[in-house]
Structure formats: C-alpha cells, structure tokens
Amino acid sequence: MDEETDGIPRNRSAARDVDATDRKILGVLVDDATISYADLGDRVGLSPPAAHERVKRLRRSGAIRSTAAIIDPKAVKKPLLAFVHIDTKGWGKTPELMAVSEYPEVEEIHSVAGDTCMLLKVRTEDTRALEGLLSRLYETPGVTSTRSYVVLSTYLERPVQPGITTEWPTPRHMAQPLY
Amino acid sequence: MDEETDGIPRNRSAARDVDATDRKILGVLVDDATISYADLGDRVGLSPPAAHERVKRLRRSGAIRSTAAIIDPKAVKKPLLAFVHIDTKGWGKTPELMAVSEYPEVEEIHSVAGDTCMLLKVRTEDTRALEGLLSRLYETPGVTSTRSYVVLSTYLERPVQPGITTEWPTPRHMAQPLY
DNA sequence: CATAATGACCGTATGAAATTCAGCATCAAC
DNA sequence: GTTGATGCTGAATTTCATACGGTCATTATG
C-alpha cells in the first residue's frame, strides 16, 4: 500500500530503483530545477512527456524530496556560519532536542556515533547573535557543554550529487563493510 | 556596472536590500519553488506579474542562488553522512584543496577560524566507501591528519531560512560585536 | 509458439501558466 | 509644479505543462 503510519511518510509503494536515466535527470534538476520538460528531455534523450513522467515518479517515490530556492545566507543577514558541538547527557529525540530545533538559526542537528553529543550547523548575523544562541543552548536542560567552531570561509557547498560513487578497494584491515 | 572581475560573480548592480515582502517570497520558495506566480502572489499579497518581477529581481541580485531539486541521499545510494576534520599545514585555496573538492563524496569544505584545519561534510554509500575516501584524503599532500565523525542519525536538515533573526541581549562581557 | 498483459515511450491537443506590455499611482529630486 | 524612477495592475500573448491515444518491446501465460 501507499500509506503512512504514525505520520511519518515511508518509502512509497513501487520505489523501483533509480536507473541511469533517472540519475541523469536528477543531475540536471539539482543544478537547475526551473528547466522545461522539453529541455530536460533533450538533455537526457527523452520526449517531454516521458521526462515529465520520470520526474513525477521520482517525486512520488521520494527520490526528489522537494524543489527549493537556494538562498544566499548573506542576503538574509546570516553570513556567519558555525558548527556547534553540544554534549548531552543522553541520546535520542529528547524534549530538549525539540527545543534546539525550534531555533531558526539552527540548520542541522546530527547525533554523532560513539559520543553523547549533537553536532549543530548554525547561521547567525554576527558573533553577538552567535554568542546569544550559544548562551541559550548552554542553558538548555540536558546540555552539559558547548564547543563552537566558527567557519572562516567556505570553499565548497553543494547539494547531494546523484552521481555514481567510484568503487575503491577495501582497506586490508577491514574484511566487511560495517554499515 | 553589472560586471565581474577575476571570474568571481560579485554583488550585482542595484542589490537593494531584501524587504519584508521579499523575505515572505523567499520563505515560500524555500519550502516549495514549484508554486505558480499566481499562488505566490496570493500568499504575499501581489499580482502574478508583480510576484514574478520580485522573483526575477531576487534571482538577478543573487539572493536566490538557484532553484534546485532536493535529493534523498538514500535514493542515490549515499546514506552514510560524516563530518571530517583534516588538519592541514597551511591556509587558503591551495592546490590540495582543489583536489579535495574534486571528490564527489565531499559536499562541503569549510576552513575553521583559529585552526589550521578544514571541516568537510561527506556522504558515502557505506563505511567501506568512507574508509576509502579517508585513505585518499590522508594521502593528499598537505593533509597531516584526519578525524571523522560518523553521523548516527540526523534530526533536522533544513535550508537557510529567510526569517528574521530574533535580537538577543549582548552578554555582559561583550561590549561590541566582533564580526 | 501464440497471445495477452505490462510498461515505457512518442506525438498531438488543449488548457493553464509564464511572460510581455501599456498604463497608472507613488515618491523623491529639482 | 515638473520630471524621472520605481513598482504595481490588468489585459494580451506566447510558452509550457499535462492529459490522452497509439505504438513498440518485453515478459508472462495458455
């Protein structure tokens, strides 16, 4: 069925895996999603309706999560980028985590394997705003310490690329992939 | 003029700053850039051509960098996310940095203020591919050490939000913003 | 082997949306 | 008051998305 339980959208029904043409399409749309289906079809060797059909399927299957405008952080007065480690007492989707996700300055929240900490990516207007955010984070129940790494400059920032990952030999000390 | 020297696209001509209506538009387009100008106009209180004009301006000024399909990393076989610190001998856009940016697994490259290191965000298919990437990074000239933080799970991952950053009081020990 | 069913595609047609354009209101500078 | 710039509206036009019917290749089935 094409349903969802408990509010979490799951992998839709016939999520046939992404083939070479699909990857080409994704590659084009990651660069520019405003392209017409006619041009997209030209780029990947399909008629406009066929290209359209593919894209619809990629949307339905969830391979294309959304189509979004990519905003320049400077234009919206958030030029200061920092990564923040917050040490936490425990794991998981605790209430304090929800509080952290409420801050609009917080772009990403990851939990790190093998450590009781969360890694945040935050953007603020200036160091003062960052300082304020860090204070609030430090006062959050469950947060035992914070360390922040201010980014001096960013050399590369690109979306997930649909290209094929090259195969590389397994290091000798690893017999099996753990993941 | 609306020019660029030395290949770096600079802030275009009359990059008049983003007003409240523009921020509303950006907020809508970050969520869903497939919306029609008619609907967009409804949402922000403008006629379709006026909304269109605004969006064109935001594109020209660079506030909207691009419009992109957001891809599910799992769909393109890159479910493993990790942050990698590479310690480097020096700073800046050195040749080895260029080499690092060639790897398709590397999504972001940041230099960290106050440290001779780079912070990378990488996505791979599995731990084997990550291990291979780390080996290659370690063998890169200029890289003296690598530390990787594998992400166990991600709780939040959202684009730059055009909302207004709340003002917070300056901590008592800081008289002036440094940035 | 023959036949039916399925899936992916193409070409065409039509309705919807993007885009252009002329005209009007507002505001600042002179 | 006049002029020019800016940003909007509504109508007109053109482009594009999208639905539909038909074809072909592949695969399952009698």
Side-chain angles (χ1 to χ4, degrees):
Chain A
M1 297 288 285
D2 200 348
E3 299 297 325
E4 46 183 84
T5 23
D6 57 61
I8 297 153
R10 62 182 60 260
N11 282 342
R12 300 315 177 88
S13 52
R16 198 179 38 278
D17 63 337
V18 169
D19 68 9
T21 305
D22 288 330
R23 266 197 299 275
K24 270 196 241 174
I25 289 174
L26 293 177
V28 172
L29 293 185
V30 162
D31 267 357
D32 177 17
T34 66
I35 192 174
S36 72
Y37 289 115
D39 288 346
L40 176 61
D42 279 347
R43 294 275 294 274
V44 303
L46 287 174
S47 71
H52 184 209
E53 190 57 42
R54 291 265 192 169
V55 173
K56 269 198 296 185
R57 200 177 58 207
L58 289 167
R59 285 187 202 284
R60 254 183 293 119
S61 73
I64 297 177
R65 282 180 174 166
S66 65
T67 299
I70 309 298
I71 309 299
D72 179 2
K74 284 192 285 299
V76 295
K77 297 281 160 51
K78 291 188 178 180
L80 184 61
L81 173 63
F83 288 90
V84 180
H85 279 274
I86 53 174
D87 282 307
T88 54
K89 287 174 197 152
W91 287 100
K93 210 158 192 166
T94 46
E96 54 261 30
L97 180 62
M98 301 310 289
V100 169
S101 69
E102 291 298 317
Y103 298 136
E105 298 93 335
V106 177
E107 267 185 28
E108 301 179 13
I109 306 179
H110 312 276
S111 77
V112 176
D115 203 352
T116 56
C117 79
M118 298 279 173
L119 180 57
L120 315 183
K121 181 176 176 182
V122 308
R123 284 186 203 268
T124 58
E125 182 169 358
D126 50 31
T127 50
R128 183 171 66 152
L130 176 62
E131 189 77 6
L133 177 63
L134 291 174
S135 300
R136 281 176 285 152
L137 286 173
Y138 189 70
E139 286 159 12
T140 304
V143 175
T144 58
S145 77
T146 70
R147 276 162 296 162
S148 73
Y149 302 93
V150 172
V151 169
L152 195 67
S153 57
T154 294
Y155 292 108
L156 179 71
E157 197 163 9
R158 67 179 163 205
V160 181
Q161 290 295 320
I164 301 160
T165 307
T166 325
E167 273 299 312
W168 289 83
T170 313
R172 262 163 301 286
H173 65 280
M174 282 184 71
Q176 287 282 347
L178 297 174
Y179 187 86
Chain B
M1 298 290 283
D2 199 352
E3 298 297 322
E4 47 183 82
T5 22
D6 58 61
I8 296 152
R10 61 182 61 261
N11 282 342
R12 299 316 177 87
S13 52
R16 196 178 40 278
D17 62 338
V18 169
D19 67 11
T21 304
D22 287 331
R23 266 197 299 276
K24 270 197 242 174
I25 289 174
L26 293 177
V28 172
L29 293 185
V30 161
D31 267 356
D32 175 17
T34 66
I35 192 173
S36 72
Y37 289 116
D39 289 346
L40 176 62
D42 278 348
R43 294 275 294 274
V44 304
L46 288 174
S47 70
H52 183 210
E53 190 57 43
R54 291 267 190 167
V55 173
K56 269 198 297 186
R57 200 175 61 208
L58 289 168
R59 285 188 201 283
R60 255 184 293 120
S61 74
I64 298 178
R65 282 180 174 166
S66 67
T67 299
I70 308 298
I71 308 298
D72 180 2
K74 284 191 287 299
V76 294
K77 296 283 160 49
K78 291 188 178 179
L80 184 61
L81 174 62
F83 288 90
V84 181
H85 278 274
I86 54 174
D87 282 307
T88 54
K89 286 173 199 153
W91 287 100
K93 210 159 193 166
T94 47
E96 53 262 30
L97 179 62
M98 300 310 290
V100 169
S101 69
E102 291 298 318
Y103 299 136
E105 299 93 335
V106 177
E107 268 185 27
E108 301 179 13
I109 307 178
H110 312 276
S111 77
V112 176
D115 202 351
T116 56
C117 79
M118 299 279 172
L119 180 57
L120 315 183
K121 182 176 175 181
V122 308
R123 284 185 205 269
T124 59
E125 181 169 359
D126 50 32
T127 50
R128 183 171 67 151
L130 176 62
E131 190 77 4
L133 177 64
L134 290 175
S135 301
R136 281 176 286 153
L137 286 173
Y138 189 71
E139 286 158 11
T140 303
V143 175
T144 57
S145 76
T146 70
R147 278 161 293 162
S148 73
Y149 303 95
V150 173
V151 168
L152 196 67
S153 56
T154 295
Y155 292 107
L156 178 72
E157 196 163 10
R158 66 178 163 206
V160 181
Q161 290 295 322
I164 301 159
T165 306
T166 324
E167 274 298 314
W168 288 83
T170 312
R172 260 162 303 286
H173 64 278
M174 282 184 71
Q176 288 282 346
L178 295 175
Y179 188 86

